[in-house]
Amino acid sequence: MSLLIKNGRVITATDDYFADVFVDGGTVKQIGKDLAVKAETVLDATGKLVIPGGIDPHTHMDMPFGGTFSSDDFDTGTVAAAFGGTTTIIDYAIQTRGKSALEGLDAWHKKAEGKAAIDYAFHMILTDMPEERISEMRRLADDGVTSYKMFMAYPGVLYADDGTLYRAFRQAGADGSRVCLHAENGIVIDEIIKGAVQDKKLAPIWHARTRPTRMEAESVHRAIAIAELAGASLYIVHLSSADGLEQIKLGRMRGVDVHAETCPQYLFLDESAYLSEGNGGFEGAKWVMSPPLREKGNQDALWQGLRLHHVHSVATDHCPFFFNGTWKPGDPSPERPGKELGRAGFNKIPNGAPGVENRMALMYQGGVVEGRLSLNRFVEVTSTFAAKIFGLFPRKGTIAVGSDADIVVFDPNRTETISVNNPRTHRMRVDYSAFEGFTVKGYPDTVISRGRIVVDKGSQQAKGGGQFIRRARAGELLR
Amino acid sequence: MSLLIKNGRVITATDDYFADVFVDGGTVKQIGKDLAVKAETVLDATGKLVIPGGIDPHTHMDMPFGGTFSSDDFDTGTVAAAFGGTTTIIDYAIQTRGKSALEGLDAWHKKAEGKAAIDYAFHMILTDMPEERISEMRRLADDGVTSYKMFMAYPGVLYADDGTLYRAFRQAGADGSRVCLHAENGIVIDEIIKGAVQDKKLAPIWHARTRPTRMEAESVHRAIAIAELAGASLYIVHLSSADGLEQIKLGRMRGVDVHAETCPQYLFLDESAYLSEGNGGFEGAKWVMSPPLREKGNQDALWQGLRLHHVHSVATDHCPFFFNGTWKPGDPSPERPGKELGRAGFNKIPNGAPGVENRMALMYQGGVVEGRLSLNRFVEVTSTFAAKIFGLFPRKGTIAVGSDADIVVFDPNRTETISVNNPRTHRMRVDYSAFEGFTVKGYPDTVISRGRIVVDKGSQQAKGGGQFIRRARAGELLR
Amino acid sequence: MSLLIKNGRVITATDDYFADVFVDGGTVKQIGKDLAVKAETVLDATGKLVIPGGIDPHTHMDMPFGGTFSSDDFDTGTVAAAFGGTTTIIDYAIQTRGKSALEGLDAWHKKAEGKAAIDYAFHMILTDMPEERISEMRRLADDGVTSYKMFMAYPGVLYADDGTLYRAFRQAGADGSRVCLHAENGIVIDEIIKGAVQDKKLAPIWHARTRPTRMEAESVHRAIAIAELAGASLYIVHLSSADGLEQIKLGRMRGVDVHAETCPQYLFLDESAYLSEGNGGFEGAKWVMSPPLREKGNQDALWQGLRLHHVHSVATDHCPFFFNGTWKPGDPSPERPGKELGRAGFNKIPNGAPGVENRMALMYQGGVVEGRLSLNRFVEVTSTFAAKIFGLFPRKGTIAVGSDADIVVFDPNRTETISVNNPRTHRMRVDYSAFEGFTVKGYPDTVISRGRIVVDKGSQQAKGGGQFIRRARAGELLR
Amino acid sequence: MSLLIKNGRVITATDDYFADVFVDGGTVKQIGKDLAVKAETVLDATGKLVIPGGIDPHTHMDMPFGGTFSSDDFDTGTVAAAFGGTTTIIDYAIQTRGKSALEGLDAWHKKAEGKAAIDYAFHMILTDMPEERISEMRRLADDGVTSYKMFMAYPGVLYADDGTLYRAFRQAGADGSRVCLHAENGIVIDEIIKGAVQDKKLAPIWHARTRPTRMEAESVHRAIAIAELAGASLYIVHLSSADGLEQIKLGRMRGVDVHAETCPQYLFLDESAYLSEGNGGFEGAKWVMSPPLREKGNQDALWQGLRLHHVHSVATDHCPFFFNGTWKPGDPSPERPGKELGRAGFNKIPNGAPGVENRMALMYQGGVVEGRLSLNRFVEVTSTFAAKIFGLFPRKGTIAVGSDADIVVFDPNRTETISVNNPRTHRMRVDYSAFEGFTVKGYPDTVISRGRIVVDKGSQQAKGGGQFIRRARAGELLR
């Protein structure tokens, strides 16, 4: 199947030029002025941007959490991602404490296989890692899972202690795998939560008040120190605060190999959301996620970090739960309970919010339209950097000869209002939008995965077809 | 009993003047030019310094460790302290995991009662602190134990996790008690040690190589972050490295209430000591203590810290163990095994070294004689600051009307060579000196505890007589 | 003349005790419990604090500025100082560009001689310092002028370029003299002012808006860098901002010998004062001084700096100018024009404000009463530190045997409202108060200079009698 | 004229792929697999890297300095650049104090016109900038000179004071021009030099000892502070030290728009070069340039800075002077005196050294071969970043459709030893190499400027042909 995208303005993390892009067999074959090739499909991209498909390196599809599951699976979640201009996700598989990580990987392969509309890869969440099982890590890398996530939060659930961190960091460093980290000191936070609950401080706002930014900063600092000793390449996920960012900067000033990811929610929303009226004071539950939304001043710090290369990547941490437990026209009601699990207290609210569909448009609006990021930097933080750090490059993350034709034809003039009621912006299987009412200028028109048009002008063109991508190790290229 | 010290140069943390000091009933009654008072004893201090008796806020007398006990008890240890110019120690009592801290306090009262030649007080080491026992902390404060020590090192033994730190810090902050902290990330260090032992790296030098300064810095940073949230006043004990010190400075720049103590071993010795020849490669065991001796460059950083008020206090962490297991003339051989417990590997060597007797002379030499500290600052770091931060002031830590007459007549011109073989510098019950062969200019001539002459010109004048001092809370004065 | 101060609570930078203080021949002779001495004068200090007389190391009496002179001379200014509890000032003599500094010193001796009610010393402002005159610096030190001030502000008037700074810093370092610095980048500020004036931005608020804190920080950093190379001991005067303070902290972290002074105006007032209504928009001229008042957030940073030893001294920069040009009952109208010189534009307003009388009471209120500083630290920042850094110690800055009896009996319970209309708080020869309406708890009752009562319960007891004090070099004591 | 480069591995700042590159009319027309196009010239790049031609944003051809001129002119200098793989230089034109910058530009156009073998652009050195001439700055920008250089060093010659900096920074910020800065505090340095000369310290090593790194750091800090106020985009040229770099990092942490350039000499050489034996102690003069070579430890800091995006660009500061005043076979002896001008003292030695020819090979060796930089980062720091920051992008700095065909076919396996005697590495008109004897792996085989082969396998293929490039303003693209 061949495809010719004509007359677009091609943007990569570095480049910016007008050309035709010719795709055949799922990869880019030629780029040039007025290409004289024949193609089965021809797209006119005049006046449009032609950009690498988005890579969302942080999603949780079909993930068990606190007695339920996130409401998007690999079918609905990847379709929504595609509508939003994302052509690859890296989802977090989970190793169960005391069990083999390879079992966890198998389970996630089963969740995804045959369902995904776009390509996907897995990180592996490690919950423990005793010496006797540490050889699993190299096997995971051999199987294309070349990154881990560990939690300094959620004691008793996903939490890994410092010894586990050190062991896993050392092995990852030796294997050329990268380490992702949820950096919040969950041990101290649990003590603070205990106090709040004793004092009957149970409303959603207490989710934010019991997770101080200082505890994010502390964990970032600690993880950097351990990674420095262990020789690991560190990637802090969903960085949410200026305090946390300061530690990233100080670590990098010292020369440590650490990078940071943030999410649109920390760039566009703030903790006042938890005080939203409605639903009997429970409305704020929609934004209960960890780390929580922060005071507004943190937003500028994070945007500045993106601009000045202190923050490197933007992911969504997509992890939706229904707010009301009913779904809209035609859809069977969900069998998965949602935010209502936490009616009795903020600490029981499932952590997470939807977002996989909104990332590209939000970042274009807040970054490019509002003048904070160049077009190249927009592409870099939404796609290229993730491809490079996570071993997908050069197959993914760029538009270049030989690369997978994961391409978005992006209309810089199309305006949309993000809403659960706007089917052009909301295909996620969840009954609310975290960004309800946000208006964005610039939206994906056509979304192409390995040369296959998945979405075109707001309608789904293909189902399934996504493949698992075995990722490369640090220092290797994925050809 | 009255005492008149004539014509000395009186030095406090602030002052510097020539006067007579008249003592009666154990306290200072008058200070003046040519005092026309009658005293039972008259000391001529012409040409001498008259300084507040030293306060050593960090000793471990008679302390259980790794199957043995430190070799000095409250008798021998306090006599040695007095010979060295120290008139108050604050020793570390221990709460046993799962048991009441009050029991621990009783045990230490029994160890000390009637034995000490100088006054003493206790910190309480907390090894756990569940909600249900937290009221003990206020009772300890009521009993004059207004400071705690917690260990981020030694997992499974003295280690307190971050939740325990937070709970105890909160309570201490509420009570006006202070928190002392051994700041090394013992969890990570244990992993590193495990690796070294597997690789048969067992010589004393590996004690240093398995305890990187980065893990001290990490713990200092973490403790500061937790104290900041908990509202506690923090005191980092035995700070050993420039990396750790940097975190103290950054914390204080941010405005956190944190202070730091260092010890002569970190100011005068370095990790090359672990490579000392002799005793079949085991000679270095003499300096196995935690944190370990560091690379030489750290010394300058710590001295500069003392000068510029980034480091606030100098203690000894006195915790002696015999090297050969035999003692000198007249003394019964010790029933307590010592360093030989670690012949098989550095990780089995009892941690600690002697020093309570050498602190004042070493600090005078390295500080005043070598031009790094003013006389006032010498007094402040060896006595006054500890008195103030630990609730002994103004009874201790100064020479002022109404204060306890804990006074040292210090000869700035007397030269001594510190040696296990020099009875004027070595009364500690241990068969080696950590500072063997160091020559110092300036030495205590007469050491007075509450008006009672304990040591005079190298001979012991009194036995016992030391009292337990109930210390005040933060913000209170001990009159 | 002998004096006995009975039953007071004596506070020094270190000590805190109850005792009688016996003064004879102008110095302290004895301190003790229930002293059985006879004295010509006996003061009962029961319930009072007995503290070292304040030292104000930064005043401008009778100083030429922009075509007029500051309105207090050494008579009125020192009487006001005494009423406020200050017993020593260090005033700034000025070397005229191209002329000998020794001439400048002579001129200031003439201004002061026989007039001052309290003791005084001089710093020397250097406006240039070519090689051929640099030997003057040592002669000044020999004459007891062991500190300089140089201006990085006021180009064409007092400004010294970086080369002059370096030369003078080197010489001062070699001589044991200290260097005071007005740290604002006047070259850049003059450009900014030029722009404001061109844009007809002439109201008093533009005084603040044309002197950004970043230009204070820049100059602090630059001065520290130059001092580091030149081996000078640096003292930044009237530090006004958090930005500037950050550079002090960073310099000290690096180990540079730099200290900082702030003033009550920067601790209690903020730039909103320039927007005060009244007097046709000119009311704000009362607070036109350099550096200007800053945004309110800077106050907390400076207080914290005082508490944590990042800021070391509190002076007034007393430099009063009449606001309306008329004076109150009995006083001849001033021959010196004042703030009205700047009616046409903020850049013509004489820079300076009154304050020498208010410092001690304000610092007691804001520091001790409001819980930001201990009593000892209050004494240290208002007296002792200045004595030590500027070579007045131990004659000044403490209450100790042999020291000058510069003593304030301070009533911690007396309340006053500072006002130009309250003769107990306003003896300065100027027609407004910079702190009008501030209520303070705690006020000097009796103020003693070398044993002589100058002020007692609000009435002046002596006229003249102040002496010039030759100050010691760094590292020397002034006995 | 068309050209087909077949089978190469194409590397840009982002991409890495195998493809054919087809060039026609001086620009890239197509990139693709097995392109079926006909070309007049076909180059087989199998096993070779195909990279963007190097951009050297810092050269001084034919520059007057201290009574002579740099020895390369726009003919010899650009040929040498081309041999080394550089296809664009940005040379520094000079405005003469008191005269129009436009005159300076004319003079430099005359120097370059018709001579250059590769494309060139100009920065403009501003030596003064009074209000009345400031409109020239916009005219320069209109003429394609969209960057300035100002000197904080060289008082009396090129030095601009802080007021001039502020005025020019403001105007540059308003115009979208960028500001380059030589950051050394020349005022202080001149004082230090004066002292050294007085002390008869005249050997080349004193060039380094009189220019301390602290004075580079100071000026970097100052420039950042001024740029922050003025709203300028700042670019620090030839950063040489860890101290200076720390200020870059701190400025960027604070969010200031500042970038840094370093040079191979600071990455590969150190101050021990000044102590080289030979030539009667004058050998070290070869490396007299400002800033000077530094202590070796600075090299690692700068490399790390390049890796972690704290340093952004690598230029040469090419400014050669003959060492012996004679030239090699066939060349007329130079009419320009060289280093011998400084026989009498280091301060008279013409500042500068050759390097334009060695940059690409040195950076490939030290960066890629020795594992410090990725291939993409190598391209970015030697070409792409300079193109972007200086308004040459996308015409220069990348290989993309529509870009100028400034391309280097680089053989990663070719080994050369840099030497004045090796004609493949030394075409510069100067009688020594600053990197004599360095062996590099990887060297340019074919160097193409706008589709024209200038150098092929060590022989020059074209003469002249270089064009002046009018550069774009910040935020604009040069199509």
Side-chain angles (χ1 to χ4, degrees), chain A residues 162-163 166-167 185 187-188 191-192 212 214-215 217-218 221-222 225-226 228-229 247 254, chain B residues 162-163 166-167 185 187-188 191-192 212 214-215 217-218 221-222 225-226 228-229 247 254:
Chain A
D162 290 358
Y166 179 77
R167 279 193 306 279
N185 187 323
I187 303 283
V188 170
E191 290 295 320
I192 302 176
R214 183 58 56 204
M215 286 298 99
E218 184 282 313
H221 179 270
R222 178 155 38 110
I226 298 175
E228 197 174 355
L229 292 181
Q247 295 301 326
R254 200 164 84 223
Chain B
D162 289 358
Y166 179 77
R167 279 193 306 279
N185 187 322
I187 303 285
V188 170
E191 291 295 321
I192 302 175
R214 183 58 57 203
M215 286 298 99
E218 184 283 314
H221 180 270
R222 179 155 38 112
I226 298 174
E228 196 175 356
L229 291 181
Q247 295 301 327
R254 200 164 82 223

Side-chain angles (χ1 to χ4, degrees), chain D residues 73-139:
Chain D
D73 61 16
F74 279 81
D75 174 357
T76 60
T78 58
V79 167
F83 268 85
T86 288
T87 55
T88 307
I89 62 170
I90 315 181
D91 200 80
Y92 280 98
I94 303 182
Q95 174 250 342
T96 306
R97 194 177 295 274
K99 299 206 176 155
S100 163
L102 302 169
E103 285 178 36
L105 181 57
D106 285 347
W108 255 257
H109 272 304
K110 285 199 190 100
K111 283 173 187 276
E113 212 157 14
K115 286 199 191 155
I118 56 173
D119 289 352
Y120 59 93
F122 296 129
H123 309 278
M124 176 58 60
I125 292 174
L126 299 179
T127 54
D128 62 4
M129 189 37 69
E131 278 301 318
E132 62 269 22
R133 282 217 324 271
I134 210 151
S135 61
E136 293 172 7
M137 291 180 68
R138 189 151 301 174
R139 286 192 45 202

Side-chain angles (χ1 to χ4, degrees), chain D residues 153-434:
Chain D
Y154 304 130
V157 188
L158 298 167
Y159 176 78
D161 68 20
D162 290 357
T164 303
L165 295 185
Y166 178 77
R167 279 193 305 281
F169 284 17
R170 287 252 301 179
Q171 191 62 36
D175 291 349
S177 295
R178 299 95 179 160
V179 183
C180 304
L181 212 80
H182 179 134
E184 285 189 299
N185 187 323
I187 304 285
V188 170
I189 285 170
D190 270 14
E191 291 295 321
I192 302 176
I193 290 175
K194 220 182 294 173
V197 170
Q198 278 172 6
D199 296 350
K200 301 268 186 284
K201 294 165 170 171
L202 296 167
I205 184 66
W206 288 96
H207 179 67
R209 291 184 184 157
T210 55
R211 304 187 87 90
T213 58
R214 183 57 57 204
M215 286 297 99
E216 181 175 62
E218 184 284 313
S219 292
V220 171
H221 180 270
R222 180 156 37 111
I224 288 174
I226 298 175
E228 195 174 356
L229 292 180
S233 170
L234 191 62
Y235 175 95
I236 304 294
V237 300
H238 53 44
L239 189 83
S240 67
S241 68
D243 283 339
L245 177 55
E246 188 188 23
Q247 295 300 328
I248 300 281
K249 292 176 186 175
L250 288 170
R252 291 177 63 83
M253 271 191 71
R254 201 163 84 223
V256 184
D257 180 7
V258 56
H259 294 93
E261 163 196 294
T262 191
C263 307
Q265 50 269 40
Y266 306 117
L267 294 166
F268 290 88
L269 304 175
D270 69 85
E271 70 170 27
S272 66
Y274 297 120
L275 298 169
S276 300
E277 295 184 6
N279 285 297
F282 193 61
E283 178 76 6
K286 290 179 176 174
W287 299 277
V288 166
M289 61 188 80
S290 294
L293 303 179
R294 304 296 193 181
E295 290 181 47
K296 202 167 178 57
N298 292 283
Q299 295 175 7
D300 277 352
L302 292 170
W303 278 111
Q304 188 187 80
L306 279 172
R307 185 167 59 82
L308 291 174
H309 291 250
H310 303 134
V311 179
H312 307 86
S313 178
V314 177
T316 62
D317 194 11
H318 179 74
C319 188
F321 298 97
F322 276 73
F323 186 69
N324 279 317
T326 56
W327 182 223
K328 271 180 287 76
D331 210 45
S333 44
E335 69 280 27
R336 304 171 166 193
K339 295 287 186 183
E340 74 270 18
L341 289 173
R343 284 255 169 212
F346 71 89
N347 58 324
K348 302 294 184 195
I349 301 171
N351 276 216
V356 74
E357 191 168 348
N358 309 128
R359 185 178 63 113
M360 299 293 285
L362 284 169
M363 291 309 297
Y364 188 84
Q365 170 67 34
V368 179
V369 176
E370 298 179 15
R372 296 187 186 95
L373 303 178
S374 69
L375 277 169
N376 300 123
R377 188 73 184 140
F378 161 71
V379 167
E380 190 164 21
V381 302
T382 57
S383 177
T384 314
F385 184 84
K388 293 203 166 190
I389 196 85
F390 288 123
L392 291 166
F393 187 84
R395 273 192 58 187
K396 310 288 188 189
T398 191
I399 294 176
V401 172
S403 292
D404 282 357
D406 288 9
I407 295 175
V408 172
V409 179
F410 190 95
D411 183 348
N413 293 312
R414 179 172 152 197
T415 296
E416 292 284 356
T417 297
I418 295 173
S419 172
V420 69
N421 299 313
N422 176 355
R424 290 180 309 278
T425 66
H426 197 99
R427 300 279 171 145
M428 300 176 284
R429 188 165 65 180
V430 63
D431 61 345
Y432 73 95
S433 169

Side-chain angles (χ1 to χ4, degrees), chain A residues 68 82 216 226 238 258 346 348-349 359 388 409 433 476:
Chain A
T68 182
E216 181 175 62
I226 298 175
H238 53 46
V258 56
F346 72 88
K348 303 294 184 194
I349 300 170
R359 186 177 64 112
K388 292 204 167 190
V409 179
S433 168
E476 294 175 0

Side-chain angles (χ1 to χ4, degrees), chain C residues 139-218:
Chain C
R139 286 193 45 202
L140 287 168
D142 292 342
D143 289 351
V145 175
T146 54
S147 52
Y148 304 96
K149 184 181 182 183
M150 304 182 79
F151 286 82
M152 300 170 89
Y154 303 131
V157 189
L158 297 167
Y159 176 80
D161 68 20
D162 290 357
T164 303
L165 295 185
Y166 179 77
R167 280 193 305 281
F169 284 17
R170 287 250 302 178
Q171 191 63 35
D175 291 350
S177 295
R178 298 93 179 162
V179 183
C180 303
L181 212 78
H182 179 134
E184 284 189 300
N185 187 322
I187 303 284
V188 169
I189 285 170
D190 269 15
E191 292 293 323
I192 302 176
I193 290 174
K194 220 182 294 173
V197 170
Q198 277 172 5
D199 296 350
K200 304 266 186 282
K201 294 166 170 171
L202 297 166
I205 184 66
W206 288 97
H207 179 66
R209 292 184 183 157
T210 54
R211 304 186 88 89
T213 58
R214 183 57 57 203
M215 286 298 98
E216 182 175 61
E218 185 283 314

Side-chain angles (χ1 to χ4, degrees), chain A residues 35-214:
Chain A
L35 289 185
V37 290
K38 281 192 183 145
E40 292 158 73
T41 309
V42 177
L43 288 173
D44 180 11
T46 307
K48 309 286 167 64
L49 305 178
V50 177
I51 59 176
I55 298 175
D56 189 339
H58 192 155
T59 67
H60 297 285
M61 303 299 174
D62 208 2
M63 188 188 79
F65 188 99
T68 182
F69 287 79
S70 60
S71 58
D72 264 321
D73 62 16
F74 279 82
D75 174 356
T76 60
T78 57
V79 168
F83 267 85
T86 289
T87 55
T88 307
I89 61 169
I90 315 181
D91 200 79
Y92 280 98
I94 305 181
Q95 173 249 344
T96 305
R97 192 177 295 274
K99 297 206 177 155
S100 164
L102 302 170
E103 285 177 37
L105 180 58
D106 284 347
W108 255 257
H109 272 304
K110 284 200 189 100
K111 282 173 187 277
E113 212 156 16
K115 285 197 191 155
I118 55 173
D119 290 352
Y120 59 93
F122 296 128
H123 309 279
M124 176 58 59
I125 292 174
L126 299 180
T127 54
D128 63 4
M129 189 38 68
E131 278 302 317
E132 62 268 23
R133 282 217 323 272
I134 210 151
S135 60
E136 292 172 8
M137 292 179 67
R138 189 151 300 174
R139 285 192 47 201
L140 287 168
D142 292 341
D143 289 351
V145 176
T146 54
S147 53
Y148 303 96
K149 185 181 182 184
M150 304 182 77
F151 286 82
M152 300 170 89
Y154 303 131
V157 188
L158 297 167
Y159 176 79
D161 67 20
D162 290 358
T164 303
L165 294 185
Y166 179 77
R167 279 193 306 279
F169 284 17
R170 288 251 301 178
Q171 190 63 35
D175 291 349
S177 294
R178 298 91 176 163
V179 183
C180 303
L181 211 79
H182 179 134
E184 286 189 299
N185 187 323
I187 303 283
V188 170
I189 285 171
D190 270 14
E191 290 295 320
I192 302 176
I193 290 174
K194 221 183 291 173
V197 169
Q198 277 172 6
D199 296 350
K200 302 268 185 284
K201 295 165 171 173
L202 297 167
I205 185 66
W206 289 97
H207 179 65
R209 292 184 182 156
T210 54
R211 305 186 86 91
T213 57
R214 183 58 56 204

